[in-house]
Amino acid sequence: DTGVSQNPRHKITKRGQNVTFRCDPISEHNRLYWYRQTLGQGPEFLTYFQNEAQLEKSRLLSDRFSAERPKGSFSTLEIQRTEQGDSAMYLCASSLPQDRVNEQYFGPGTRLTVT
Amino acid sequence: AQKITQTQPGMFVQEKEAVTLDCTYDTSDPSYGLFWYKQPSSGEMIFLIYQGSYDQQNATEGRYSLNFQKARKSANLVISASQLGDSAMYFCAMREPGGATNKLIFGTGTLLAVQP
């Protein structure tokens, strides 16, 4: 399978704990995006990487959130001191900049539940 | 600010019939791209169709077509010959105009249920 993969698929954690999610994009894609989707809503942009550089962060990304893409390949999203409001689906997507459409290919998402 | 509006929270359609899912958008930038994605219960977003603002013809991809009315700022998705497997959430999205990241701005989605 050469699509975007995300791990874990599901994560249940207690409030106050730290969690980390991983995204492996399609290998030749140098653009990587994180989105968050809450129940009944469309995905909302969190952050964007071009290769290893994090070029944009949404205001939704509070200080408790940090994302990295150390070698321009996989990316991690860490949430520190989780809150119940962090419960959501976290989606990763990747794309090629040369494509006219710049279609973003999405992974299956990580569903986070904070209890 | 750019915005996508989907006014139909849910839609029903009989198998083999056509259905139209509505989408309106708001931007002052003349160059933009519009997308439709399907999200089954498994959660993955599946790309369906794309329309660029300068494209002369309405986009089509198999059973999917996009009714693009630029003056009305609408980009409705038409699914012909509905199948049971089409039951899913459908999201309209716009690539952020003028931005360097090409991030997507999504609507709230429409839940489509195909009935046998």
Side-chain angles (χ1 to χ4, degrees):
Chain A
D1 185 10
T2 58
V4 179
S5 62
Q6 293 187 246
N7 288 288
R9 294 291 307 275
H10 303 272
K11 179 71 177 179
I12 300 174
T13 191
K14 292 184 177 180
R15 188 175 52 190
Q17 298 295 305
N18 299 344
V19 294
T20 300
F21 310 141
R22 176 177 171 128
C23 170
D24 288 89
I26 295 171
S27 59
E28 64 268 27
H29 288 187
N30 65 342
R31 293 186 169 200
L32 188 145
Y33 305 80
W34 285 98
Y35 293 85
R36 182 173 71 185
Q37 185 179 20
T38 54
L39 203 60
Q41 300 296 319
E44 295 175 292
F45 170 78
L46 289 180
T47 191
Y48 162 73
F49 289 87
Q50 185 166 316
N51 300 309
E52 67 276 7
Q54 187 176 21
L55 298 184
E56 185 170 342
K57 294 193 294 185
S58 162
R59 287 171 296 177
L60 294 175
L61 216 64
S62 74
D63 292 344
R64 296 184 297 106
F65 288 72
S66 63
E68 294 182 342
R69 194 182 183 196
K71 295 184 179 179
S73 56
F74 73 91
S75 175
T76 58
L77 178 68
E78 181 184 15
I79 308 174
Q80 296 182 325
R81 305 180 303 281
T82 52
E83 301 173 356
Q84 287 188 323
D86 297 331
S87 295
M89 174 80 90
Y90 290 84
L91 293 163
C92 175
S94 68
S95 72
L96 273 172
Q98 294 86 355
D99 185 88
R100 179 185 79 92
V101 175
N102 194 43
E103 171 192 344
Q104 293 183 22
Y105 295 79
F106 282 80
T110 295
R111 184 171 296 282
L112 173 66
T113 302
V114 182
T115 61
Chain B
Q2 294 87 16
K3 187 178 180 182
I4 294 286
T5 302
Q6 294 180 257
T7 57
Q8 304 156 314
M11 290 281 286
F12 290 97
V13 64
Q14 291 293 125
E15 195 177 7
K16 299 180 185 177
E17 292 186 350
V19 63
T20 298
L21 306 184
D22 294 342
C23 172
T24 58
Y25 59 93
D26 188 19
T27 180
S28 56
D29 198 297
S31 177
Y32 50 88
L34 297 161
F35 298 77
W36 277 91
Y37 279 86
K38 172 184 178 182
Q39 187 177 42
S41 56
S42 58
E44 185 171 351
M45 302 285 283
I46 302 167
F47 167 75
L48 296 178
I49 196 166
Y50 168 81
Q51 181 82 44
S53 59
Y54 293 122
D55 292 346
Q56 294 298 312
Q57 294 184 327
N58 287 349
T60 60
E61 290 285 350
R63 294 187 299 111
Y64 304 108
S65 60
L66 205 150
N67 184 2
F68 182 47
Q69 298 188 41
K70 200 168 181 177
R72 299 178 63 179
K73 293 190 175 180
S74 73
N76 298 339
L77 176 69
V78 180
I79 304 174
S80 62
S82 297
Q83 302 172 356
L84 295 178
D86 294 335
S87 294
M89 282 291 290
Y90 288 81
F91 290 96
C92 181
M94 178 167 57
R95 183 170 57 222
E96 184 190 49
T101 68
N102 287 338
K103 67 188 179 193
L104 296 175
I105 301 162
F106 286 87
T108 52
T110 296
L111 180 61
L112 177 66
V114 180
Q115 298 175 319

